[in-house]
Amino acid sequence: DQIIVVDDQSTDNSLDVIQKKLINITKAKVVVNPTCLGTMGALNEGLKYVTSEYVLFLSSNDYVEKGIFERAKSCITTAGAPGVWSAMVWVVDESGRHLHLYPSPVVALTDTFFPPDKCIRLAQKFGNWFTGTTLIYHRETLQKIGGFDIACQGLGDLLAALTVASIKGAAFSPEPLGAMRQHEGGLYWRTLTNLPRLDAILTRMENS
């Protein structure tokens, strides 16, 4: 329904490239942040312009596989408006070559809806069981919880997914329908490798 691109003060020619690609797409919008907000801040900025019922967020190192939207729409319709839908993802190298499946929990062998109480039990058992590249959120519920917590750095999207799932449930498809690019320097990598900051984030989550 919509394509929203947020330019977070990029320092290369990506803004020119995307504006040319979207020039004839009427439901596309480019938002240029006046100051750099960081990944989660940029996602929250983009969320302000979303009017569709569900929303998928992608960063510059992510991409999705063919068929993801048809599969998600079918699963969401069958589930009856869950809080989130997700699938599995590939880990790919910098050129986009598939390396292996991301080692996330496989919580069902067929398309499955989990009600909120089951989502809470899955979180207690596995911790996070979502993969950010394929996470499609119920827009209104995500906005009601305040969007993404910037203080949680690269874990902000996963915390939001766990929260939304605990309110409206979650649907899951056991097929790799997204790709996560493996490289040093990304927000997720920086969050997980900065142990003092990671410990502070986890303590904050525990106390909130």
Side-chain angles (χ1 to χ4, degrees), residues 2 17 40 43 69 74 91 100 134 142 164 178 199-200:
Q2 295 175 279
V17 170
M40 293 300 153
L43 297 185
F69 296 111
S74 174
V91 175
H100 55 80
T134 64
L142 179 60
V164 171
D199 185 59

Side-chain angles (χ1 to χ4, degrees), residues 40 149-157 187-188 190-191 197 201:
M40 293 300 153
D149 188 340
I150 296 174
C152 290
Q153 302 280 318
L155 301 180
D157 57 341
L187 178 62
Y188 189 58
R190 296 198 311 272
T191 301
R197 180 185 296 169
I201 291 171

